[in-house]
Amino acid sequence: MKTAEYSPGLEGIIAGTTTISHVNPDLCSLMYRGYDIRELVKHSSFEEVAYLLLKGKLPTQGEYDEFCALLKQERDLPDVLVDAFKTFPKNSVPMDMLRTGTALLALHDPDKDDNSHDANVRKAIRSIAKFPALIAYSYRINRGQEIVKPDNGLGHGENFLYMLQGKKPDAYMAHVFDCSLICYADHGFNASTFSSRVTVSTLSDIYSGLVAAIGTLKGPLHGGANEEAMKMLQEVGTPENAEAWVIDALATKKKIMGFGHREYKNGDPRAFILTEMGAEMSEKLGDTQWYKTASIVESVMHREKNIVPNVDFPTSYIYYLMGLPIEIYTPIFALARVSGWTAHMIEQLDNNRLIRPKALYEGPDHLDFVVRAQR
Ligand code: CMC
């Protein structure tokens, strides 16, 4: 058996192969199935990207139409889930509700006991289709509001905004939101994707992998960072306050949320795309306070620590400008990443070997056992 060097946090360790996405820090690029996300953001849609990730190729027009129709057909939730949301404690955290909602969804899936490739693709499509309603319905019910049923005249992302906010977004907002979903859709062996692959590598099911992934994404070092980044910008408050705030935070060894990355040390391509969009959106809306504050935080972080923003920094103020509640930002990340998670779990199961690394044991051995009465 091969033995490998120990690397804390598995940094630099190759833990498997994939053909789904290519994170290339040297070129500062991210490709899905060989297509640069910059191209996908320009010419594609979240639905097309989800198809690409799942099926490994771009759809023809006919395949695209069929896929979108299937997503629409699967958008709504069984009534029992809506009833279950009514029993959740008030002010539950949306990521917790999404995790529980996903576990409940599993019980009602017609393919729940079938772990074949085809059934897993069907379950993947269903979960991609239903995540928006899981998030929007549970959020609204938990806050005492009526649910807003899906509008099949709207695309995937804009329908989510409609179900959450109760009003249709304008075309520009819908476009920026869709681009953010494309940027969030997949990212190599990130922590949540890896935990989903570990889960199904035991031949467990896709929904168990999704529950594991949602729990993993929730943490502030991963998907939870977009919410923390916005709370931080609110604390900073104004562009005038930004430099002193960052210097003080660094002096007290605070982590600046939305900055740094395990893989990208010179820049996250998703952050470049979305920062540009954030600037444009701020100008269009005539509300530049957050973008200007964020830009100063960025330049001070670069000057003081040579650390640059990741995807979660620009999405934080983009979503804020869209009027979205902060606690929904990480569920939005999940709404997009469910496409990557399911593609990865299917790839894992199609060529499975149990993921089971070694631990470097550092405790004592061969201690003399002393019976309890004599300790
Ligand atoms: N603020 C201040 N210092 C930082 C930051 C930051 N955001 N990120 C890294 N550093 C420093 C860190 O303190 C350490 O310094 P030193 O060597 O002096 O102790 C050095 O940079 C290396 O950092 P690390 O934490 O060992 O790096 P890592 O590869 O283990 O962690 C990270 C990567 C993303 C967890 C980390 O950069 C971080 O905590 N960032 C803030 C949370 C965040 O934005 N997460 C989102 C990640 S990207 C999208 C996603 O997956 O959601």
Side-chain angles (χ1 to χ4, degrees):
M1 191 179 63
K2 287 182 206 151
T3 50
E5 291 286 308
Y6 165 56
S7 172
L10 301 186
E11 180 169 5
I13 300 287
I14 294 170
T17 61
T18 184
T19 62
I20 300 171
S21 59
H22 185 191
V23 179
N24 190 332
D26 295 335
L27 296 180
C28 186
S29 72
L30 171 61
M31 311 259 174
Y32 297 158
R33 302 281 193 186
Y35 296 97
D36 195 309
I37 57 156
R38 284 172 287 218
E39 292 294 301
L40 294 170
V41 160
K42 255 190 232 149
H43 305 296
S44 191
S45 65
F46 173 73
E47 290 90 322
E48 187 169 49
V49 165
Y51 183 101
L52 173 68
L53 292 172
L54 269 184
K55 310 259 180 166
K57 68 170 198 81
L58 287 171
T60 61
Q61 186 63 49
E63 288 164 336
Y64 180 70
D65 293 343
E66 200 184 314
F67 187 69
C68 291
L70 206 51
L71 286 176
K72 284 180 179 173
Q73 189 185 309
E74 293 284 356
R75 269 180 184 172
D76 211 348
L77 299 179
D79 290 343
V80 281
L81 255 82
V82 175
D83 292 340
F85 292 156
K86 294 179 183 154
T87 68
F88 290 178
K90 286 288 156 236
N91 297 317
S92 292
V93 173
M95 273 303 268
D96 291 348
M97 295 196 286
L98 175 62
R99 191 188 54 214
T100 306
T102 304
L104 288 171
L105 196 59
L107 301 176
H108 299 279
D109 193 297
D111 287 309
K112 68 178 165 28
D113 298 321
D114 186 347
N115 218 7
S116 66
H117 175 92
D118 289 350
N120 283 335
V121 172
R122 288 195 295 274
K123 284 185 266 190
I125 294 171
R126 256 178 235 130
S127 42
I128 295 167
K130 291 185 192 306
F131 263 39
L134 281 179
I135 298 165
Y137 287 10
S138 60
Y139 182 81
R140 289 184 72 92
I141 290 172
N142 201 253
R143 275 142 191 85
Q145 298 167 333
E146 289 291 318
I147 58 170
V148 178
K149 288 277 185 178
D151 179 337
N152 281 353
L154 301 175
H156 192 74
E158 58 184 341
N159 176 59
F160 166 72
L161 295 176
Y162 170 63
M163 290 194 298
L164 184 79
Q165 297 180 306
K167 59 178 191 321
K168 293 179 188 170
D170 67 35
Y172 178 72
M173 293 285 181
H175 167 71
V176 174
F177 188 71
D178 202 59
C179 292
S180 78
L181 297 185
I182 293 176
C183 288
Y184 269 141
D186 197 46
H187 206 233
F189 275 22
N190 62 89
S192 56
T193 299
F194 190 57
S195 75
S196 76
R197 290 188 74 127
V198 170
T199 304
V200 295
S201 84
T202 67
L203 300 185
S204 183
D205 67 294
I206 292 258
Y207 282 106
S208 299
L210 287 178
V211 170
I214 294 165
T216 310
L217 185 74
K218 182 184 166 190
L221 296 188
H222 191 8
N226 57 10
E227 295 181 15
E228 295 307 316
M230 191 60 225
K231 289 181 203 157
M232 178 189 83
L233 286 174
Q234 284 180 317
E235 211 181 302
V236 177
T238 60
E240 294 71 37
N241 206 23
E243 176 162 11
W245 193 95
V246 177
I247 304 263
D248 184 57
L250 292 176
T252 53
K253 299 263 173 237
K254 263 196 198 147
K255 275 262 168 102
I256 311 299
M257 289 297 160
F259 280 81
H261 200 275
R262 174 61 64 78
E263 294 246 44
Y264 304 115
K265 297 299 175 197
N266 302 316
D268 176 337
R270 303 165 300 175
F272 289 128
I273 295 169
L274 293 166
T275 302
E276 221 172 89
M277 289 191 161
E280 186 191 74
M281 190 178 194
S282 308
E283 291 295 342
K284 268 191 200 289
L285 294 177
D287 181 358
T288 53
Q289 173 193 356
W290 302 110
Y291 175 72
K292 282 184 181 154
T293 306
S295 303
I296 296 172
V297 173
E298 251 184 79
S299 56
V300 178
M301 276 299 280
H302 190 251
R303 187 187 73 208
E304 297 294 317
K305 296 282 285 185
N306 199 22
I307 297 178
V308 289
N310 58 56
V311 63
D312 289 322
F313 195 53
T315 51
S316 70
Y317 55 86
I318 284 178
Y319 293 157
Y320 194 80
L321 286 170
M322 288 182 176
L324 296 169
I326 294 176
E327 64 269 39
I328 223 79
Y329 297 1
T330 313
I332 292 171
F333 190 153
L335 182 158
R337 187 61 58 88
V338 64
S339 59
W341 290 332
T342 48
H344 275 272
M345 287 189 276
I346 291 168
E347 184 181 63
Q348 178 69 35
L349 284 167
D350 282 349
N351 193 10
N352 190 51
R353 187 157 192 231
L354 175 73
I355 299 174
R356 202 295 182 198
K358 284 170 78 66
L360 183 62
Y361 177 67
E362 292 184 324
D365 271 331
H366 303 298
L367 297 178
D368 289 330
F369 185 82
V370 181
V371 293
R372 207 175 308 127
Q374 289 167 21
R375 277 176 224 155

